[in-house]
Amino acid sequence: MPLTAEQQAEIDSQSNLQILTKRPVSPGLEAMLFKALPVLDHGFVRVVDYMGDDSSIVQAARVSYGAGTKKVSEDRGLIRYLMRHHHTTPFEMCEIKYHIRLPIFVARQWIRHRTASVNEYSARYSIMDREFYIPEPEVLAAQSKINNQGRGDILSSEQAAAVIHLLKQDAQQCYDNYETMLKPAEEDGYGLARELARMNLTLNSYSQWYWKINLHNLFHFLQLRIDPHAQYEIRVYAEAMLKTLQAWVPIACEAFEDYRRGAVTFSASMMQVLGKMLNGETVEQDNSGLTKREWTEMMQMLAPYQTK
């Protein structure tokens, strides 16, 4: 489902428009507008439109008439305070709209985030293109033995080649049958309605949608989907979107990196254990009051900061 020549021409014409405005404008994001950031083998993320910038967050927080303070350092301090103390509504004053091309199975996972406005390409009215997501061998892994929703060891080169062959074969065969069902009887087909024929497509077929969300909810999406435990195929989309935020709201994005993405949360019980450790007490899992899983999670969070 690549962009057609007509679609690309329309995008190019929009990119060349120069419109004067009194609204806040983000120079960094302006430079990225309409440019597709490639993701996976045939996917992309591109910014279509946006509203607000870092100064809009400050303006909303202070309910001021201007566009923020004259000192960037003061705006930065306020934005970091808001992020640190979970004052979220000022971040909701900024919105962004993306055009995203993604495999259907990624879209079905993505749509669980119900805080966005979405309009997806409809296979009821249009015919899907013959393009499918085929993973690279290095991301093909066996089911994890300790995580029911994660991956374990990478498949051998022979196993990966066999899996890729099956994925390509199944996707092509299903699409061939999809085309046959759509063709009219005079072309040796069945003339089946598009809304019915689409059920035969594999989940690695590419779809696309417009996805509009406010900054607060986008930060929440990114916090979950950039996490190393998130599925690889959705994580790479989140990483591409983070690049657009770094250009759009650099101060807010910096605060997000410090207080959300790079931060961890300890429970009250974990804090008691940490207090004992800081006081020099020897604490093990069996006398910590934590479950084995809680203990393991806490040790994993502390591991990067422990000296050998």
Side-chain angles (χ1 to χ4, degrees):
M1 205 176 298
L3 294 173
T4 65
E6 292 78 10
Q7 289 173 322
Q8 189 60 56
E10 182 180 355
I11 291 170
D12 292 341
S13 66
Q14 289 176 318
S15 300
N16 293 328
L17 285 178
Q18 298 293 329
I19 301 175
L20 294 177
T21 178
K22 295 180 180 179
R23 298 183 297 110
V25 173
S26 171
L29 194 56
E30 286 288 319
M32 298 179 73
L33 276 178
F34 308 113
K35 295 180 180 178
L37 302 178
V39 184
L40 298 179
D41 49 358
H42 302 295
F44 63 71
V45 168
R46 71 181 185 97
V47 178
V48 177
D49 199 2
Y50 69 97
M51 180 182 75
D53 62 0
D54 280 321
S55 70
S56 304
I57 301 167
V58 172
Q59 182 186 30
R62 293 185 172 134
V63 197
S64 66
Y65 291 101
T69 65
K70 293 183 179 180
K71 294 184 178 180
V72 174
S73 59
E74 293 181 20
D75 286 357
R76 181 176 180 272
L78 176 56
I79 288 174
R80 291 178 67 82
Y81 176 88
L82 296 171
M83 182 71 72
R84 189 165 64 249
H85 292 279
H86 298 269
H87 295 306
T88 60
T89 49
F91 297 101
E92 295 177 16
M93 302 302 158
C94 295
E95 291 193 343
I96 191 167
K97 180 164 62 177
Y98 293 100
H99 177 196
I100 300 166
R101 188 160 183 260
L102 70 176
I104 292 174
F105 76 94
V106 176
R108 297 304 159 256
Q109 182 182 38
W110 192 313
I111 205 68
R112 290 178 59 83
H113 296 269
R114 296 166 293 174
T115 50
S117 299
V118 187
N119 199 56
E120 186 174 4
Y121 182 93
S122 176
R124 292 186 68 195
Y125 303 106
S126 304
I127 297 175
M128 301 287 278
D129 280 355
R130 186 190 285 269
E131 283 204 321
F132 321 101
Y133 167 58
I134 304 297
E136 294 296 327
E138 58 267 23
V139 302
L140 290 173
Q143 176 62 46
S144 171
K145 296 180 179 178
I146 59 174
N147 183 353
N148 290 333
Q149 60 176 2
R151 306 181 192 187
D153 296 332
I154 302 297
L155 298 183
S156 68
S157 57
E158 294 79 9
Q159 290 173 320
V163 168
I164 289 173
H165 172 73
L166 288 174
L167 290 171
K168 289 180 178 178
Q169 178 178 264
D170 289 350
Q172 296 289 355
Q173 182 62 59
C174 287
Y175 194 90
D176 288 343
N177 292 336
Y178 169 69
E179 282 190 322
T180 299
M181 287 187 283
L182 289 174
K183 289 179 181 178
E186 56 270 23
E187 296 180 19
D188 298 323
Y190 301 97
L192 189 66
R194 292 170 184 168
E195 67 178 21
L196 290 171
R198 62 180 173 170
M199 76 175 88
N200 200 53
L201 294 171
T202 53
L203 290 178
N204 63 338
S205 300
Y206 271 90
S207 182
Q208 55 184 301
W209 60 28
Y210 269 37
W211 195 72
K212 181 174 72 70
I213 192 168
N214 69 48
L215 182 58
H216 163 58
N217 287 312
L218 181 52
F219 278 144
H220 179 67
F221 172 87
L222 293 179
Q223 183 177 357
L224 294 175
R225 299 306 183 180
I226 285 181
D227 188 276
H229 297 96
Q231 183 173 339
Y232 165 78
E233 283 78 13
I234 198 169
R235 191 168 72 243
V236 290
Y237 280 92
E239 290 168 351
M241 295 165 77
L242 181 61
K243 293 178 182 178
T244 68
L245 264 66
Q246 291 166 342
W248 175 31
V249 283
I251 298 176
C253 197
E254 177 195 47
F256 166 75
E257 295 270 11
D258 283 346
Y259 299 122
R260 294 292 182 272
R261 185 185 186 188
V264 296
T265 300
F266 292 111
S267 67
S269 299
M270 289 178 178
M271 290 301 296
Q272 291 178 352
V273 172
L274 287 172
K276 292 178 181 179
M277 290 179 171
L278 290 172
N279 288 326
E281 297 183 37
T282 300
V283 185
E284 302 294 340
Q285 188 270 316
D286 56 2
N287 68 352
S288 67
L290 302 177
T291 65
K292 185 176 181 179
R293 184 164 186 173
E294 287 176 315
W295 177 265
T296 300
E297 290 175 356
M298 186 178 76
M299 292 299 103
Q300 288 175 340
M301 289 187 287
L302 291 174
Y305 310 100
Q306 293 177 321
T307 57
K308 295 182 179 180

